[in-house]
């Protein structure tokens, strides 16, 4: 008599695995992209617009779970055939902007709201956060990522993961690891020292794994030192599980990697989005003895452990109606703290509502909420700056307004013609900048201040063009020069707003502006956030999560990063693989990229070797008030030290400050950067005259460097300097610590 097949519960995973056929096991490991398994239950299409699913095995009570992007909000289709209802998701600020808040509690709150949408739209795992290091400003996906610094990135990721997962849904921290360029992303080999790997490119992931245990991790498309990230047992088992204690599931990026059996053996349990070939690969590999049953069963058990945690398994009755209004308020709150005030000459800001504003720049009228590609979110609306200013009570100059109203209509027509034809991974055509001389001249007489917004949008699959995207374009520079000349001649001020997904070159033009603020891609509420910073109802408290150098050439990775330009435009033949599926190793920065700068990424390089080449240091940002710091104390506590600093609001308006604790190591026995971030803290809102004491914890372990020769972490003995800094270049208080 046939035994009854066990039905999956959290307690019988072993029995269920034992009852599975080889075909069922293969199906569970391969995403639902394949049509081959309809017979065993791939009937669940999941949520329209989601990125993938797993396979169901109804015979054993295994449901199909749904995975959707990430990371600036949930990406699903807003419309469904035959449905009148819409399924919009909140477009939150991009990762870079969340990192600019330096506020982990706030990021966790964003995670809670985002995770609630995951739950209420019937999704089980969101494919984010993205935590890769900003190695080079031209990387097309930097907007999805947090920072050039692994501590800041890791802490932000941990907060985001905790927030999202508090809803009982999963995350997929990505892309593990060293995914720093988009060009040839499927085949590029990132070649770097073990030390750079450990201290920079893995530390971010390590912090988040240890603190927040993401349910899943997504491996990256690239190779690392000759081994594909998804096929590396050292990375996925030795490091991730054995050293860091990761408990979840590892999945491939969509279509990532080549050798299915090697992936499963390495500890990459889930192959996404799945295909018939991948399914057959597993069956063949087991039958031919290339994949051990033990590897197969271990992987299947891990996927089932994920399944039993999912809302789908628990039968959660989702509403398809998350509270988008409440979440818009969370988006707004986070964006308000992520704006970075870069410059404010003679009190150009805040502006008063009594002043009439001449609003320039096409981006002012078409704000950019987020980036493109899988990192896009179908948000219900985007508040542009024109709208934001009007709602805040600003008066705008009607001459300028009328000009843009008709100009934007013409440009929309032109762009629609082009955009209708381009696939999702090609940059969308944006309106060109106009330089309306007469309108500028007239407004310099009638308006009191000029605001100009410049925008940049980009996304996966491509890196940024140095001249088109990083440097200010000719027309932008012409507009800024013309407005600045006219307004300054009339004794009036000019404010530049940068609505960008990653940094732009600033040194050549910054003198033309009296004030500059970076509002990044602030999500759907963008115009409201910027208007509130401009009128002072929000006092900016964002700090740069990366360095802005004086010119691209000064970037430490510039000699080893693909350069797209007018004479060498982007071309998909850059995606290179040789005949017979062989990896090519001929073209530098495309087939392989040498991380010659090693650990000297971002401020670690600039502060050590080239402080003069910095336009704005890592951690930089101004406020409308001023702060005084004092009473710095360091005392031993637990596994390291507690550092306390008293922060007083010494100005006239309420504000928040950020204390950044850098440590300067002796650097005698070891090669050490001038200083490294070891802790940070954001104050609560302090009223004028109000003080608070922030506590920052530095662990002894965090002072260690990777000793290549010994193959282990080592802490250099000697005298350390603990520096309480307002940015990477500006120590305010210091204490010595002997070790
Ligand atoms: C991206 C991932 C994304 C996946 C699913 C890939 O192209 O690299 O970040 O999660 O697609 O959409």
């Amino acid at each position: 008599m046939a035994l009854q097949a066990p039905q999956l519960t959290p307690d019988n995973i072993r029995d269920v695995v034992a009852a599975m056929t080889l075909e069922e096991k293969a199906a569970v490991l391969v995403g639902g992209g394949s049509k081959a398994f309809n017979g065993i239950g791939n009937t669940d299409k999941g949520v329209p617009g989601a990125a993938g699913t797993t396979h169901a095995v109804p015979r054993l009570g295994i449901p199909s779970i749904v995975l959707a992007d990430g990371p600036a909000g949930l990406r699903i289709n807003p419309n469904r055939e035959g449905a009148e209802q819409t399924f919009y998701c909140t477009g939150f600020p991009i990762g870079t902007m969340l990192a600019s808040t330096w506020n982990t509690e706030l990021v966790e709150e964003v995670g809670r709201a985002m995770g609630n949408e995951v739950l209420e739209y019937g999704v089980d795992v969101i494919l984010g956060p993205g935590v890769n290091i900003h190695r080079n400003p031209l990387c097309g996906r930097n907007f999805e990522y947090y920072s050039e610094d692994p501590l800041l990135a890791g802490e932000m990721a941990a907060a985001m993961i905790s927030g999202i997962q508090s809803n009982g849904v999963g995350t997929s921290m990505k892309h593990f690891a060293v995914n720093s360029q988009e060009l040839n992303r499927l085949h590029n080999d990132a070649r770097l020292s073990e030390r750079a790997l450990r201290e920079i490119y893995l530390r971010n992931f390590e912090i988040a794994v240890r603190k927040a245990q993401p349910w899943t991790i997504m491996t990256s498309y690239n190779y690392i030192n000759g081994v594909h990230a998804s096929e590396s047992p050292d990375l996925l088992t030795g490091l991730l599980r054995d050293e860091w204690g990761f408990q979840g599931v590892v999945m491939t990026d969509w279509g990532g990697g080549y050798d299915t059996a090697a992936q499963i053996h390495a500890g990459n349990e889930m192959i996404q989005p799945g295909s018939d070939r991948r399914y057959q690969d597993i069956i063949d590999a087991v039958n031919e003895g290339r994949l051990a049953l033990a590897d197969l069963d271990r992987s299947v058990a891990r996927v089932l452990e994920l399944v039993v945690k999912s809302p789908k398994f628990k039968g959660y009755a989702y509403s398809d109606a998350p509270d988008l209004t409440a979440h818009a308020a969370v988006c707004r709150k986070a964006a308000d703290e992520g704006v970075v005030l870069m410059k404010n000459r003679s009190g150009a800001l805040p502006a008063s509502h009594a002043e009439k504003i001449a609003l320039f720049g096409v981006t002012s009228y078409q704000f950019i909420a987020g980036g493109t590609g899988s990192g896009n979110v179908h948000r219900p609306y985007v508040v542009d700056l024109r709208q934001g200013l009007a709602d805040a009570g600003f008066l705008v100059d009607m001459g300028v307004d009328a000009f843009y109203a008709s100009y934007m209509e013409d440009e929309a027509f032109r762009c629609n013609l082009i955009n209708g034809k381009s696939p999702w991974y090609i940059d969308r055509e944006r309106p060109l900048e106009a330089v309306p001389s007469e309108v500028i001249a007239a407004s310099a007489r009638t308006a009191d201040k000029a605001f100009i917004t410049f925008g940049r949008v980009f996304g996966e699959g491509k890196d940024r063009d140095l001249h088109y995207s990083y440097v200010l374009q000719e027309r932008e520079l012409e507009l800024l020069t013309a407005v600045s000349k006219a307004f300054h001649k009339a004794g009036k001020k000019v404010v530049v707003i940068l609505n960008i997904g990653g940094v732009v070159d600033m040194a050549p033009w910054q003198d033309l502006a009296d004030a500059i603020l970076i509002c990044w891609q602030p999500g759907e509420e963008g115009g409201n956030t910027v208007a509130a910073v401009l009128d002072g109802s929000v006092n900016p408290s964002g700090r740069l999560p990366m360095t802005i150098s004086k010119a691209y050439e000064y970037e430490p990775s510039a000699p080893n990063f693909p350069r797209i330009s007018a004479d060498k435009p982007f071309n998909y033949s850059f995606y290179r693989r040789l005949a017979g599926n062989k990896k090519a190793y001929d073209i530098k920065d495309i087939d392989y990229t040498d991380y010659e700068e090693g650990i000297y990424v971002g401020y670690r390089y600039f502060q050590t070797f080239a402080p003069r080449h910095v336009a704005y240091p890592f951690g930089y940002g101004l406020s409308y008030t001023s702060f005084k710091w004092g009473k710095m104390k360091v005392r031993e506590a637990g596994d390291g030290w507690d550092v306390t600093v008293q922060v007083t609001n010494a100005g006239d308006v309420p504000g928040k400050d950020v204390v950044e604790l850098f440590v300067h190591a002796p650097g005698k026995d070891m090669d050490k950067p001038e200083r490294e971030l070891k802790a940070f803290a954001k104050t609560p809102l302090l009223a004028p005259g109000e003080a608070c004491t922030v506590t920052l914890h530095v662990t002894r372990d965090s002072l260690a460097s990777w000793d290549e020769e010994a193959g282990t972490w080592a802490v250099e003995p000697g005298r350390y300097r603990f520096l309480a800094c307002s940015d990477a270049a500006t120590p305010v208080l210091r204490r010595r610590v002997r070790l």
Side-chain angles (χ1 to χ4, degrees):
M1 195 181 86
L3 285 178
Q4 184 104 37
Q7 297 298 295
L8 181 68
T9 72
D11 308 316
N12 73 349
I13 289 175
R14 273 164 158 259
D15 301 340
V16 170
V17 175
M20 289 170 89
T21 64
L22 173 58
E23 286 73 17
E24 286 168 340
K25 290 176 185 173
V28 159
L29 299 186
V30 174
S34 161
K35 292 172 210 78
F37 317 113
N38 286 329
I40 56 166
N42 181 29
T43 50
D44 188 346
K45 295 275 187 313
V47 174
T53 61
T54 61
H55 276 107
V57 184
R59 184 179 81 86
L60 301 166
I62 304 173
S64 159
I65 66 168
V66 179
L67 324 167
D69 283 304
L74 183 66
R75 184 174 66 85
I76 57 172
N77 291 344
N79 299 300
R80 289 180 197 169
E81 243 182 71
E84 259 177 43
Q85 194 201 330
T86 54
F87 302 83
Y88 285 107
C89 300
T90 305
F92 291 98
I94 55 168
T96 299
M97 185 174 210
L98 294 178
S100 299
T101 68
W102 293 64
N103 184 341
T104 50
E105 274 171 37
L106 183 56
V107 171
E108 193 170 334
E109 190 179 338
V110 171
R112 279 198 296 273
M114 198 186 291
N116 175 261
E117 294 185 16
V118 176
L119 180 71
E120 292 304 335
Y121 277 130
V123 172
D124 299 284
V125 175
I126 182 168
L127 306 174
V131 307
N132 294 95
I133 294 294
H134 292 172
R135 170 178 179 249
N136 182 289
L138 301 187
C139 172
R141 290 188 90 168
N142 277 356
F143 74 96
E144 298 184 58
Y145 306 146
Y146 294 117
S147 173
E148 70 183 24
D149 180 80
L151 174 78
L152 184 59
E155 292 291 341
M156 289 296 147
M160 178 57 83
I161 292 164
S162 301
I164 293 173
Q165 293 190 169
S166 69
N167 292 278
V169 297
T171 55
S172 194
M173 176 160 62
K174 65 192 188 185
H175 307 88
F176 192 55
V178 210
N179 188 178
S180 334
Q181 75 182 58
E182 286 300 291
L183 198 71
N184 199 27
R185 62 179 175 158
L186 295 168
H187 314 297
N188 177 263
D189 187 8
R191 306 202 298 198
L192 71 172
S193 70
E194 176 84 8
R195 181 168 176 196
L197 196 55
R198 293 265 183 173
E199 290 183 27
I200 308 292
Y201 296 95
L202 296 178
R203 177 50 72 79
N204 43 353
F205 288 98
E206 180 181 0
I207 292 170
V209 165
R210 289 188 193 273
K211 282 199 150 176
Q213 279 293 347
W215 286 13
T216 81
I217 284 182
M218 187 190 293
T219 46
S220 55
Y221 282 132
N222 51 284
Y223 292 71
I224 304 168
N225 292 328
V227 183
H228 196 275
S230 67
E231 296 169 12
S232 168
D234 288 349
L235 185 69
L236 304 182
T237 299
L239 205 82
L240 181 61
R241 292 188 188 276
D242 298 348
E243 247 186 82
W244 302 349
F246 176 64
Q247 309 279 329
V249 164
V250 175
M251 70 175 81
T252 60
D253 197 346
W254 268 229
Y258 307 95
D259 183 338
T260 317
Q263 290 176 316
I264 307 261
H265 169 71
N268 189 127
E269 291 83 23
M270 200 194 275
I271 313 294
Q272 285 293 351
S275 67
D276 296 357
R277 199 230 342 136
R278 297 302 203 134
Y279 165 75
Q280 198 56 46
D281 273 356
I282 296 180
I283 294 173
D284 293 347
V286 172
N287 286 336
E288 291 160 20
R290 287 181 288 111
L291 180 62
L293 261 181
D295 284 347
L296 185 74
D297 287 354
R298 183 203 59 214
S299 301
V300 172
R302 284 180 187 152
V303 172
L304 297 185
E305 279 162 20
L306 170 69
V307 169
V308 298
K309 288 195 286 194
S310 67
K312 175 60 73 59
F313 182 81
K314 293 179 178 161
Y316 182 74
Y318 55 92
S319 64
D320 269 336
D323 188 346
L324 296 185
T325 311
H327 297 168
V330 177
C331 162
R332 173 67 206 281
K333 189 172 161 189
D336 284 359
E337 279 208 27
V339 175
V340 187
L341 180 63
M342 305 292 289
K343 170 176 182 173
N344 195 12
R345 193 159 59 197
S346 44
L349 288 176
S352 106
H353 294 164
E355 294 174 299
K356 189 188 281 178
I357 305 300
L359 185 61
F360 291 100
V362 291
T363 308
S364 297
Y365 300 84
Q366 197 186 97
F367 237 50
I368 304 164
T372 63
S374 62
N376 182 27
V377 179
H378 301 291
R379 44 191 92 75
Y381 60 86
V382 180
V383 179
D384 62 32
L385 187 54
R386 167 74 181 77
Q387 188 64 46
L389 291 182
D391 291 351
F394 274 107
L395 281 181
V396 293
D397 184 281
M398 290 320 286
V400 180
D401 206 58
F403 167 77
Y404 277 100
S406 93
Y407 179 75
M408 291 301 281
E409 233 172 72
D410 296 345
E411 280 297 280
F413 180 72
R414 187 182 64 80
C415 293
N416 282 344
L417 285 180
I418 301 169
N419 289 342
K421 293 185 192 130
S422 49
W424 69 284
Y425 49 82
I426 297 289
D427 289 345
R428 307 287 290 172
E429 187 73 19
R430 299 196 59 240
L432 279 175
E433 214 54 85
V435 190
S437 336
E438 279 162 28
V439 176
I440 295 171
S443 68
R445 288 190 296 272
T446 50
D448 300 299
K449 249 175 205 163
F451 293 168
I452 312 177
T453 311
F454 293 125
R456 289 291 183 275
V457 64
F458 35 87
E460 73 175 278
K462 244 178 104 175
D463 294 309
R464 296 168 64 193
D465 180 323
L466 179 65
H467 298 293
Y468 174 78
S469 182
Y470 186 73
V471 171
L472 227 53
Q473 294 164 16
E474 222 166 284
R475 285 225 204 169
E476 292 172 328
L477 206 55
E478 274 173 38
L479 172 66
L480 174 58
T481 309
V483 171
S484 163
K485 238 193 206 155
F487 275 74
H488 286 159
K489 205 165 154 203
K492 295 170 180 175
K493 299 208 158 77
V494 176
V495 179
V496 170
I497 297 126
L498 296 173
N499 178 198
I500 52 183
V503 297
V504 293
D505 194 30
M506 293 181 63
W509 56 265
Q510 59 190 1
D511 290 345
L512 296 173
D514 300 285
I516 304 172
L517 54 93
I518 300 184
C519 72
W520 303 115
Q521 290 167 347
E524 63 193 30
E525 285 284 318
N528 289 335
T529 281
V530 175
V533 171
L534 290 168
D535 75 13
S537 48
V538 165
N539 185 355
S541 64
R543 303 286 184 266
L544 290 179
M546 78 293 278
T547 311
I548 303 182
S549 67
K550 283 191 179 148
Y552 178 74
E553 286 63 34
Y554 296 136
E555 293 291 333
S557 58
N560 295 288
F561 193 85
R563 182 84 66 92
I564 306 300
S565 56
D567 54 331
K568 200 177 148 201
F570 175 77
N571 181 328
Y572 273 92
S573 66
F574 288 143
Y575 275 77
R576 283 169 45 85
R577 207 148 169 85
L578 301 179
N581 225 6
K582 229 180 127 242
K583 161 108 189 72
Y585 270 101
D586 311 319
I587 309 181
K588 177 180 174 311
D589 302 334
I590 291 182
D591 294 333
Y592 62 90
T593 302
D594 288 328
Y595 286 43
E596 270 168 13
E597 71 283 359
I599 59 163
Y600 290 101
V601 177
Y603 73 84
R604 284 173 168 77
Y605 165 79
F606 285 106
Q607 289 309 315
T608 311
F609 302 113
R612 283 184 306 115
H613 291 161
V614 174
Y616 295 95
F618 170 84
Y620 172 89
L622 302 175
S623 166
Y624 294 149
T625 186
S626 58
F627 297 95
K628 284 225 165 66
W629 294 2
K631 299 190 184 161
M632 179 178 180
K633 287 193 191 111
V634 179
R635 61 177 185 82
E636 284 188 32
D639 56 0
W641 302 266
D642 275 345
V643 181
T644 49
V645 175
Q646 194 186 63
V647 179
T648 309
N649 183 347
D652 307 325
V653 290
K656 293 184 177 188
D657 201 6
V658 179
V659 180
E660 304 165 23
L661 194 91
F662 287 80
V663 171
H664 171 92
K668 285 188 184 135
D669 306 333
M670 282 182 175
D671 176 21
K672 287 277 202 176
E674 164 60 29
R675 63 189 63 140
E676 292 184 283
L677 186 73
K678 297 298 174 195
F680 60 89
K682 190 155 198 176
T683 69
L685 191 73
L686 297 174
E690 194 184 347
C692 79
T693 298
V694 297
T695 305
L696 306 107
H697 187 70
V698 179
T699 66
R700 197 189 137 88
D701 285 353
S702 74
L703 303 184
S705 288
W706 185 256
D707 182 334
E708 298 260 358
E709 266 169 45
T712 167
W713 291 101
V715 179
E716 185 187 14
R719 255 204 215 159
Y720 285 72
R721 280 201 305 260
F722 282 30
L723 310 166
C725 297
S726 57
D727 59 55
T730 316
V732 179
L733 300 168
R734 60 194 81 207
R735 288 286 175 272
R736 288 238 161 91
V737 173
R738 187 164 257 301
L739 239 133

